[in-house]
């Protein structure tokens, strides 16, 4: 467990979701920066826990933005067949997201309106700070079966194959749309998804959702690397939000990627979301030596085998052939690099006395076919970590470019002919 900086975390941060309130990675209450610039995702320092993240920009916030401590991720299915009605929903969602990320209520707020009508905002975030809330939207493969958009589906939005060891729960897999809400206050993130679902009632419906705590990767250089529920530092070599060259090469869709029909995705990215359950009880009974062999790093410092410090360049051949770090390293995969933005989860028990806990894996990349798919094929076939984990949920989404200004809206480049 990492040390908490600044003043004591709030009671809400300690309680968390679903009994997961172990103050694991609890949000710091102090800080020096009041606003994190996220439009171009180049701010090297996270804002304080109460700050706001700029909603507008070339890219959507919530990708290379300094990672917040809490997550509410929701996948939606489309319920309307009316294209104009759906476009209006995207505009309404954008307007609501613009206000919520700034710490403002939706519409006219939670009170003061007509007593005979439901309020525009559900009200549970009243009095709370923005908490660095970011909202990131994406379109799944099945979305392009709606509204005559089949020819607009990007080639890079590939269906994920069945990997060895997958045991996918259909109720936690797929979705026409996704919205990723990240914040330093769990109530702020939950409020955001709740209000978008309310606005979308009758037009979209939540297919599944996931709450997360204790970020397991960082996009902030020089920050302490977070630990996953197995106790190991995770994401040591993750792409930082300041590494514009690596972001351009590995994360952002470039002009000309996929041809003219995919031009609407320029400045966007592709997201793979995987719910990975950890066999916690088995892992907790495994010797320290075997745990370190499985990862290829020591548990105390996070140093690669034979090295002294976490960020020392790993000597992959010193690790066991099936060590996770060795197999996942870009040098073992023709340079494949993804941006990870995962969270831990604990969702009660499975009815057999075992924790339903693990990693909600989020990975952004320029092309799923050249990123997650070949990497996961290698890991699922050889990784020693497979004995202790199982992939039980899965989805892939095209993440469009950012909302440029107050006149722009989510998905405009896909739906507007002038775009």
């Amino acid at each position: 467990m990492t040390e908490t900086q600044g003043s004591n975390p709030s009671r809400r941060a300690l309680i968390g979701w679903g009994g997961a309130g172990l103050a694991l990675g609890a949000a710091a209450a102090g800080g020096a920066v009041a606003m994190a610039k996220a439009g171009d995702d180049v701010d090297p320092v996270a804002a304080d826990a109460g700050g706001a993240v700029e909603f507008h920009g070339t890219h959507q916030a919530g990708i290379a933005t300094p990672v917040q401590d809490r997550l509410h991720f929701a996948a939606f299915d489309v319920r309307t067949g009316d294209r104009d009605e759906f476009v209006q929903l995207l505009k309404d969602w954008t307007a609501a997201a613009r206000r919520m990320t700034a710490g403002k209520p939706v519409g006219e707020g939670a009170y003061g309106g007509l007593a005979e009508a439901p309020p525009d905002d559900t009200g549970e975030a009243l009095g709370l700070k923005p908490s660095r809330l970011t909202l990131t939207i994406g379109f799944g493969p099945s979305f392009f079966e709606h509204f005559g958009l089949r020819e607009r589906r990007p080639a890079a939005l590939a269906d994920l194959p069945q990997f060895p060891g997958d045991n996918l729960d259909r109720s936690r897999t797929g979705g026409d749309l996704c919205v990723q809400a990240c914040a330093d206050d769990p109530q702020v993130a939950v409020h955001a998804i709740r209000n978008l679902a309310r606005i979308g009632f009758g037009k979209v419906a939540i297919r599944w959702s996931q709450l997360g705590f204790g970020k397991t990767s960082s996009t902030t250089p020089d920050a302490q690397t977070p630990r996953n529920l197995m106790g190991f530092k995770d994401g040591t070599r993750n792409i930082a939000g300041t590494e514009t060259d690596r972001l351009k090469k590995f994360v952002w869709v470039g002009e000309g990627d996929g041809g003219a029909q995919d031009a609407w995705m320029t400045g966007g990215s592709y997201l793979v979301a995987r719910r990975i359950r950890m066999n916690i009880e088995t892992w907790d009974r495994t010797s320290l030596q075997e745990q370190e062999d499985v990862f290829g790093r020591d548990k105390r410092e996070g140093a690669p085998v034979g090295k002294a410090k976490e960020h020392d360049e790993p000597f992959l051949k010193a690790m066991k052939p099936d060590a996770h770090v060795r197999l996942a390293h870009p040098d073992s995969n023709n340079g494949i690099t993804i941006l990870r933005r995962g969270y831990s989860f604990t969702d009660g028990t499975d009815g057999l006395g075992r924790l339903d806990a693990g990693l909600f894996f989020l990975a952004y990349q320029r092309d799923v076919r050249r990123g997650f798919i070949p990497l996961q094929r290698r890991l699922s076939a050889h990784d020693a970590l497979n004995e202790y984990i199982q992939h039980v949920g899965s989805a892939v989404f095209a993440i469009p470019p950012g909302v440029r200004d107050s006149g722009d809206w989510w998905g405009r480049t896909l739906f507007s002919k002038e775009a």
Side-chain angles (χ1 to χ4, degrees), residues 77-81 83 142-150 176 415:
D77 285 334
V78 172
R79 290 286 185 257
T80 180
R83 179 186 175 111
S142 59
F143 176 78
F144 296 89
E145 298 301 315
H146 300 275
F147 312 121
L149 294 172
R150 185 173 297 179
D176 293 333
F415 281 94

Side-chain angles (χ1 to χ4, degrees), residues 38 56 142 147 165 214 216 229 232 247 296 328:
H56 301 119
S142 59
F147 312 121
T216 62
L229 290 184
F232 279 78
L247 289 168

Side-chain angles (χ1 to χ4, degrees), residues 8 41 44 49 82 96 114 128 139-140 161 179 190 222 273 311 318 323 325 344 358 364 371 377 399-401 414:
N8 292 332
D41 294 320
D82 188 321
L114 291 175
L128 300 180
F139 303 112
V179 178
V190 169
D222 302 324
H311 294 281
V325 169
S344 296
Y364 289 89
R377 278 184 171 143
I399 309 298
L414 173 60

Side-chain angles (χ1 to χ4, degrees), residues 8 85 132 147 149 166 367 418:
N8 292 332
E85 184 179 49
R132 293 198 298 133
F147 312 121
L149 294 172
D166 279 3
D367 189 325
E418 63 271 18

Side-chain angles (χ1 to χ4, degrees), residues 139-141 153-161 163 249-253 257 262 265 268-274 336-339 361-377 394-399:
F139 303 112
R153 175 179 170 177
L157 184 64
D159 292 311
L160 301 183
F163 297 104
K249 181 177 181 180
F250 297 114
V251 178
W252 307 131
V253 177
D257 286 8
D262 296 347
M265 275 294 295
S269 189
Y270 294 94
L271 168 65
V272 172
R274 303 277 282 186
I336 291 175
T337 303
I338 57 179
L339 187 155
F361 175 89
L362 296 167
Y364 289 89
Q365 61 240 275
R366 187 169 177 173
D367 189 325
V368 173
R369 300 166 300 176
R370 298 177 177 87
F372 179 79
I373 290 177
L375 181 60
Q376 182 59 23
R377 278 184 171 143
S394 180
V396 59
F397 300 96
I399 309 298

